Amino acid sequence: MAGIRWPPEDSDLFPARPAGATVTELISDDDRSVAADSWSIKSDYGSTLDDEQRHVDASEVLSASNFPAASDYSSDKEEPDANEVEPSMLGLQSYWDATYAEDLVNFHEHGHAGEIWFGAEVMDVVVSWTKNLCANMSGATDAAEGSSSNSESGETVGDLSTWSVLDVGTGNGLLLQELAKQGFSDLTGIDYSEAGIELAHNLAVRDGFAGIKFVVADVLDAKLDRKYQLVMDKGTLDAIGLHPDGPVKRMMYWESVANMVASGGLLVITSCNSTKDELLQEVDNFNKRFGIQDQVQEVGTGPADVFRYVDHVRTFPTIIFGGVEGSRVSTVAFVRN
């Protein structure tokens, strides 16, 4: 079921912030005017890529492209419009730096973990669904190799501890903690906010998950030393789309995450600003522009897709808006070819 776009400002998915210093008090007028250059920072892996050149390249692609309208997937809209969201403070690094600085103070003073983006219920659904998806994929691989992957109850288990997991835009890192509780152990979180990474590390140590690795890095130009079998995104693509240069940044996002997911690995995106069908269309557009040629393809079959749709969550609570029923949040999984 396709989701329904719901403005973040009006949604109860984003609860009121705790008492204490407010984000507004921490953000200066200069911070509020930060645009494209606020998105790029240095990572622990070295200096940033030539973000300005990538920005220009993506802009040229946008202006020159004439992508076909809708994909083969049904939608409640005549034309997907994933990039129509108006810019917001939530798209600026200055907002998140101030937010996590406030959360860090509240952690040290009161032990608070900060907000759970989209709420605890959505996070629980995403984690449980992702666990089952990965376990089933592991079970299918084990079966193909002739090994046993079933528990005594007959359920597919799979060895989740062997999955390398990357959470992009990890924030306070609570999503990774929940994945650790489900059996994942090779866990890494990246975020461009140093305060966010410090908060995530402190929370992980306090809660008994000191083995989770956290790195200051921007998803748009992170120089990681490995690829991951599972890449999670819970709201990061949404925030990128809210940047003043959202459409360009989103194109850069797909190029970047394509280099983070290992061949045969999964990308799981949870969004409140894009429906399932809009995410499918966005991936379809990316595949058409940056499709790769499979080395073992037969001549004349055309380029292979970079990402291929696997499944989506069907159990989120639904609402009726404008006579259409759907969910406020969509989670979609893609496999990297």
Side-chain angles (χ1 to χ4, degrees):
M1 177 185 299
I4 293 178
R5 187 184 315 286
W6 197 262
E9 293 79 5
D10 295 334
S11 172
D12 58 7
L13 293 173
F14 311 102
R17 300 196 57 76
T22 64
V23 173
T24 303
E25 294 171 345
L26 293 171
I27 303 179
S28 68
D29 290 337
D30 289 339
D31 287 334
R32 295 178 188 279
S33 67
V34 176
D37 57 348
S38 70
W39 199 264
S40 180
I41 65 169
K42 292 182 179 179
S43 75
D44 285 1
Y45 295 94
S47 60
T48 61
L49 292 176
D50 188 351
D51 190 56
E52 181 178 354
Q53 184 59 49
R54 296 177 65 204
H55 187 288
V56 171
D57 293 343
S59 297
E60 291 176 350
V61 170
L62 273 177
S63 61
S65 297
N66 182 24
F67 296 123
S71 67
D72 293 335
Y73 298 93
S74 62
S75 173
D76 55 292
K77 302 183 178 184
E78 292 183 359
E79 294 184 5
D81 51 3
N83 295 327
E84 73 175 12
V85 181
E86 292 296 323
S88 163
M89 288 292 297
L90 277 69
L92 302 180
Q93 182 180 343
S94 56
Y95 172 88
W96 296 108
D97 284 341
T99 295
Y100 290 124
E102 177 184 343
D103 286 346
L104 196 55
V105 170
N106 286 330
F107 168 77
H108 288 305
E109 293 182 352
H110 310 290
H112 295 166
E115 297 177 8
I116 297 177
W117 200 240
F118 300 155
E121 181 181 4
V122 168
M123 183 169 69
D124 289 345
V125 170
V126 170
V127 168
S128 177
W129 181 84
T130 301
K131 170 194 173 183
N132 291 335
L133 181 62
C134 293
N136 288 335
M137 290 184 65
S138 295
T141 300
D142 290 342
E145 295 175 352
S147 60
S148 175
S149 61
N150 294 329
S151 65
E152 293 181 0
S153 63
E155 295 179 352
T156 300
V157 178
D159 187 3
L160 298 178
S161 66
T162 64
W163 283 71
S164 56
V165 181
L166 176 68
D167 182 23
V168 296
T170 192
N172 56 22
L174 294 183
L175 177 62
L176 289 173
Q177 289 195 28
E178 294 303 312
L179 288 170
K181 294 175 185 177
Q182 298 298 324
F184 295 94
S185 60
D186 184 358
L187 300 163
T188 302
I190 63 171
D191 201 291
Y192 63 5
S193 172
E194 292 186 16
I197 290 299
E198 183 179 352
L199 174 65
H201 175 73
N202 287 337
L203 286 169
V205 171
R206 183 196 70 179
D207 298 338
F209 300 100
I212 300 177
K213 180 182 179 182
F214 293 102
V215 178
V216 178
D218 184 350
V219 63
L220 296 186
D221 66 359
K223 297 171 178 61
L224 306 179
D225 57 1
R226 63 187 295 196
K227 296 181 184 293
Y228 294 83
Q229 293 167 286
L230 172 63
V231 174
M232 302 290 295
D233 175 340
K234 186 165 69 71
T236 298
L237 181 58
D238 286 345
I240 290 173
L242 293 172
H243 190 277
D245 292 327
V248 172
K249 296 290 186 180
R250 290 178 78 106
M251 291 190 66
M252 294 168 63
Y253 168 91
W254 288 106
E255 180 182 351
S256 294
V257 296
N259 292 322
M260 296 176 180
V261 186
S263 178
L266 291 173
L267 171 65
V268 177
I269 298 180
T270 299
S271 169
C272 71
N273 283 342
S274 296
T275 67
K276 171 181 74 75
D277 294 315
E278 288 170 335
L279 289 172
L280 291 172
Q281 182 65 66
E282 195 166 358
V283 168
D284 188 49
N285 290 344
F286 171 73
N287 285 335
K288 284 180 170 58
R289 289 299 306 178
F290 301 99
I292 56 176
Q293 184 70 40
D294 190 333
Q295 295 181 353
V296 298
Q297 276 188 309
E298 296 181 3
V299 177
T301 59
D305 289 339
V306 180
F307 288 110
R308 176 173 52 82
Y309 166 76
V310 176
D311 201 0
H312 69 280
V313 171
R314 296 170 171 82
T315 56
F316 287 132
T318 61
I319 61 171
I320 297 178
F321 182 75
V324 179
E325 184 177 7
S327 63
R328 294 182 177 181
V329 180
S330 57
T331 296
V332 186
F334 302 93
V335 67
R336 176 70 162 90
N337 289 327

